[in-house]
Amino acid sequence: LFPYTTLFRSRDEAGEASVALYDMMGRKVYSSHIVSQAIVIPTQGFAKGVYTVVVNAVNRQQVSRVVVE
């Protein structure tokens, strides 16, 4: 598995946004400010498990899950 996770936003969602990654205990383990459609999250060194990704843009919030193996 790659040492990063890549997510993509639609063209309608292009623009500034913030992204945060939370572990299953609700602890924020990563955060970043983005301006592109591709979101690359470095996961090297993260414990195996399911994480919640929250992307906040001007008028929208997207929540998804990723698995780190």
Side-chain angles (χ1 to χ4, degrees):
L1 191 68
F2 299 105
Y4 56 85
T5 296
T6 303
L7 306 171
F8 293 95
R9 299 165 53 202
S10 70
R11 292 188 192 276
D12 296 338
E13 297 172 331
E16 294 185 32
S18 63
V19 61
L21 186 70
Y22 297 89
D23 65 14
M24 291 308 291
M25 299 298 290
R27 296 177 295 221
K28 186 187 295 186
V29 296
Y30 175 83
S31 65
S32 180
H33 183 78
I34 57 172
V35 293
S36 65
Q37 283 182 273
I39 303 167
V40 179
I41 301 172
T43 56
Q44 186 174 10
F46 286 6
K48 294 179 182 180
V50 179
Y51 292 81
T52 301
V53 180
V54 180
V55 179
N56 286 302
V58 175
N59 295 318
R60 183 178 175 133
Q61 181 181 64
Q62 178 182 354
V63 179
S64 58
R65 302 240 194 276
V66 295
V67 176
V68 174
E69 296 180 338

